[in-house]
Amino acid sequence: MASDIEQRVLIIAPTIKDAELTSHILSESNVRCDLCLDIPSLVDEVALGAGAILIAEEILLNTQSQLLVELVQNQPPWSDLPIILVTRQGLESTAVTTALKTLGNVILVERPTRVIGLTNAVHNALRVRKRQYQARNLLVEHERIAQELRFSEQRYRMLVEQVKDYAIFMIDLSGKATSWNEGVLRVLGFAENEFMGLEVSRHIFTLEDQLSGIPQEEFEVAARDGSASNDRWMRRKDGSHFWASGITSALYDPQGKHIGYTKVMRDLTLSKEAEDALKQADRRKDEFLATLAHELRNPLAPIRNSLHILKLAADEDGTLKNVCDMLERQVNHLVRLVDDLLEVSRITRGKIELRKEAVDLETTMRSALEISRPLIDAANHQLTVEFPAEPLQVWGDPVRLGQIFANLLNNAAKYTNEGGEIWFATRIEGDEVAISVRDNGVGIPAEMMPNVFELFMQVDRTTKRAQGGLGIGLTLVKTMVEMHGGTIRLHSEPSVPGSEFTVRLPLLKVDKSSPEIKSDPAKEKCTSFKGCRILVVDDNVDAATSLRILLKLQGAQVEVAHSGPAALEAIVKSRPHVILLDIGMPGMDGFEVVERIRQDQANNDVFVVALTGWGQEEDRRRTREAGFDHHLVKPANIAELQEVLANR
């Protein structure tokens, strides 16, 4: 029997008030509850005994959550401590998906939670835990019985037959079964008269494992180390496979002679299939988002190129230019939404990567302002900017830092009534710099503030201020701020118009004695479009044609090819300085083309740029390894290409 302390529920919640309320509810259902202030104290209490853990998903965002993972991983074989996870987003939450992968026996209870749902989940978990303690006690007793096997075989059988969810049996040194319990029938499908004397390895291990020597290896490990854990696909009597989790232990007589093995296993097929399905769904989602982004970027490329062409040919009275500016803003908005789709995938997989360097804060702020200025000006907002009074540096990714500040400025512009005010300011706080974005807009309702940084969360999806956003921006901001070792806080009061987001980042000491970096004259060849010979290779005729016209208007000498073989012929004829090469062409794709280019020493000086709709980090890695000098994602603009040429 499990003791009282072993049947208690340990509760850890974001606030003491939440924990006390939950404890009160469960106590009325005759459940003993103890409160834990943090994860380390929770781990200490589990060591004394616990029936289940009740934890809120917010707690798992704490860096100390690794202690809980280690606790689960270090459980004894009999233990599968139930963890009741209270969640708002379910499987859409990163904390939840991570918990399902790392914390074992997780039971999800969604918020807002009904009392009956919570109490039922707790009682079910305690019943499961009680059976685990029964199994533990049985294993302890089994170890004692193994030492007195000659005198207590009947007593041992009476005990093991009480456990029906676990297949527990003994094997002699020849590999034949010498005992049986009802769990063998339930898990493996063998009745007692069929199982006794059966050569177990030939009938419960898969053919693949038998051919690879897994059974013999398992017994050897158990004989050497005392026991061997095993989690693999096993075979039932009817030939069907199931996912088994168990342990094989060496068995000795009272004189210490090795006489066989005991095996304990349970069927976890449903858990395994759920885990595999979740992984497969995640992979399919990533593949879908990457393909969707690629397909959206292809038509955006000729549209953006055509806009640049129209702007260069704009009429004198500015009417055409104004229309082009409007269209360009909308295209840029589409491009941002496509990029955000891919960021969702990176967030959920923890794949956002930073390219850190010493970053000048004022330069990054100005870059963010350039991105957000059209949205701010379109709403006639008054913008007040306070740049740092002295040079300040932080260690980070300049592109991602610019994205952080631009997202906050865009939000302020969207959720502030026309003609409102926005403040963008910095201040030094000890070893940190605080960058704040404040507005006098609609503010954020109190009930929304705890969830404002959650994925796909928007204050009001019906308002025109949302402007088609996906509710991803603030989640990205919080993730990237924390990856830079910083924090972000929101301040909004019902009685005061607007809201304020404050980002705090660690400061770097500015070394004013560092020498200026001078440009390398050897790299200044063909750093502008004028006179530069460029070959555009793309099977999308509209994209290639519009880019050719645009580059020619910028002074470049441009040739176009619509296939890999045509590109190789054009290289021989025109000897280009730069090749803008699409990847996904039919027949000979971009990877084969660049391989052929690099095989010819005459092309050693040619600068090959991948211009493609594929923009995942894996795609960039592949182009680097294939021999491309740079990777641009469609629709690339002239400024991006100019920067590539200037830094080649």
Side-chain angles (χ1 to χ4, degrees), residues 352 354 356 395-397 400-405 407-408 432-433 435 453 473-489 501-506:
I352 292 182
L354 301 182
K356 292 187 175 182
W395 183 251
D397 185 323
R400 293 300 189 178
L401 288 172
Q403 188 178 359
I404 290 170
F405 302 139
N407 263 308
L408 295 178
E432 294 183 325
V433 58
I435 308 97
F453 293 107
L474 288 178
T475 306
L476 281 173
V477 166
K478 184 174 187 295
T479 300
M480 290 187 290
V481 167
E482 291 175 349
M483 290 178 70
H484 281 85
T487 60
I488 182 168
R489 294 290 181 269
F501 288 89
T502 302
V503 174
R504 288 179 173 83
L505 297 169

Side-chain angles (χ1 to χ4, degrees), residues 227-375:
S227 64
S229 299
N230 44 74
D231 295 277
R232 59 171 50 88
W233 290 102
M234 303 289 281
R235 189 173 57 168
R236 298 186 183 91
K237 174 189 172 183
D238 61 8
S240 62
H241 290 180
F242 70 100
W243 184 258
S245 177
I247 187 168
T248 300
S249 301
L251 186 63
Y252 301 90
D253 67 13
Q255 288 72 42
K257 181 181 178 182
H258 183 202
I259 58 174
Y261 304 90
T262 60
K263 283 187 72 69
V264 180
M265 66 172 63
R266 54 180 171 162
D267 184 351
L268 292 182
T269 305
L270 293 178
S271 298
K272 176 64 174 175
E273 289 175 346
E275 179 184 348
D276 290 346
L278 188 62
K279 290 179 180 178
Q280 185 177 21
D282 191 52
R283 285 194 298 270
R284 286 178 176 173
K285 177 206 65 182
D286 294 339
E287 292 169 0
F288 168 76
L289 289 177
T291 303
L292 176 63
H294 175 266
E295 294 303 317
L296 289 174
R297 281 173 173 148
N298 274 329
L300 283 173
I303 293 173
R304 174 176 272 179
N305 293 340
S306 300
L307 281 172
H308 283 301
I309 295 169
L310 289 173
K311 289 181 71 175
L312 291 173
D315 55 345
E316 293 183 0
D317 66 7
T319 302
L320 181 57
K321 182 179 183 301
N322 290 337
V323 172
C324 290
D325 288 342
M326 176 193 67
L327 291 174
E328 184 175 27
R329 285 194 296 273
Q330 298 307 312
V331 169
N332 289 339
H333 183 64
L334 283 173
V335 172
R336 181 176 64 80
L337 290 178
V338 171
D339 290 339
D340 283 351
L341 282 173
L342 291 181
E343 295 293 16
V344 174
S345 172
R346 296 188 183 107
I347 287 175
T348 56
R349 293 182 298 149
K351 292 291 186 179
I352 292 182
E353 295 185 3
L354 301 182
R355 299 176 182 178
K356 292 187 175 182
E357 59 185 63
V359 179
D360 178 70
L361 189 60
E362 181 176 341
T363 302
T364 303
M365 291 175 66
R366 290 186 184 277
S367 174
L369 283 170
E370 289 179 10
I371 297 171
S372 303
R373 177 68 72 174
L375 192 59

Side-chain angles (χ1 to χ4, degrees), residues 6 10 44 81 251 278 297 299 392 396 426 433 535 582 590:
E6 291 177 336
L10 300 177
D44 292 340
L81 179 62
L251 186 63
L278 188 62
R297 281 173 173 148
L392 297 179
T426 61
V433 58
L535 173 62
D582 186 27

Side-chain angles (χ1 to χ4, degrees), residues 2-210:
S3 65
D4 184 46
I5 196 171
E6 291 177 336
Q7 281 291 289
R8 62 179 176 161
V9 176
L10 300 177
I11 301 175
I12 178 168
T15 67
I16 292 295
K17 183 177 180 181
D18 291 340
E20 290 176 344
L21 177 60
T22 304
S23 177
H24 176 72
I25 292 171
L26 294 177
S27 297
E28 292 186 344
S29 185
N30 297 320
V31 176
R32 173 181 170 178
C33 300
D34 287 340
L35 310 185
C36 300
L37 296 178
D38 52 25
I39 291 179
S41 63
L42 173 72
V43 172
D44 292 340
E45 289 296 323
V46 170
L48 300 176
I53 294 173
L54 180 62
I55 187 169
E57 67 178 331
E58 294 90 338
I59 304 300
L60 299 181
L61 299 176
N62 192 298
T63 54
Q64 294 177 333
S65 62
Q66 182 60 32
L67 296 175
L68 187 56
V69 175
E70 293 172 358
L71 171 69
V72 170
Q73 292 176 344
N74 292 327
Q75 291 183 96
W78 59 267
S79 177
D80 194 13
L81 179 62
I83 298 177
I84 303 168
L85 180 58
V86 182
T87 172
R88 185 178 299 276
Q89 292 182 312
L91 294 179
E92 294 182 2
S93 166
T94 302
V96 170
T97 56
T98 302
L100 289 173
K101 296 176 183 177
T102 59
L103 296 183
N105 188 5
V106 176
I107 302 168
L108 297 183
V109 175
E110 295 193 0
R111 291 183 294 196
T113 308
R114 296 178 60 192
V115 170
I116 188 170
L118 178 62
T119 55
N120 284 343
V122 169
H123 281 293
N124 288 338
L126 291 177
R127 281 194 292 271
V128 171
R129 187 60 169 168
K130 187 175 181 180
R131 288 197 295 269
Q132 292 178 17
Y133 280 121
Q134 290 174 343
R136 176 202 63 182
N137 297 339
L138 178 61
L139 290 172
V140 171
E141 185 67 11
H142 167 260
E143 185 67 24
R144 185 185 67 80
I145 292 172
Q147 299 297 324
E148 303 174 357
L149 187 59
R150 291 177 301 173
F151 309 103
S152 50
E153 177 66 20
Q154 183 179 2
R155 190 175 173 188
Y156 165 77
R157 288 176 59 85
M158 292 175 61
L159 287 170
V160 297
E161 287 174 5
Q162 301 303 312
V163 184
K164 299 179 181 179
D165 292 336
Y166 290 77
I168 304 174
F169 53 91
M170 291 192 298
I171 306 169
D172 62 22
L173 292 178
S174 68
K176 295 180 179 180
T178 59
S179 70
W180 175 94
N181 79 323
E182 287 192 26
V184 173
L185 178 61
R186 185 182 181 116
V187 176
L188 295 171
F190 289 97
E192 183 174 10
N193 63 328
E194 297 172 321
F195 194 69
M196 295 296 290
L198 190 72
E199 191 174 340
V200 173
S201 296
R202 289 183 54 197
H203 291 83
I204 71 170
F205 283 88
T206 66
L207 180 60
E208 292 81 5
D209 281 353
Q210 291 182 51

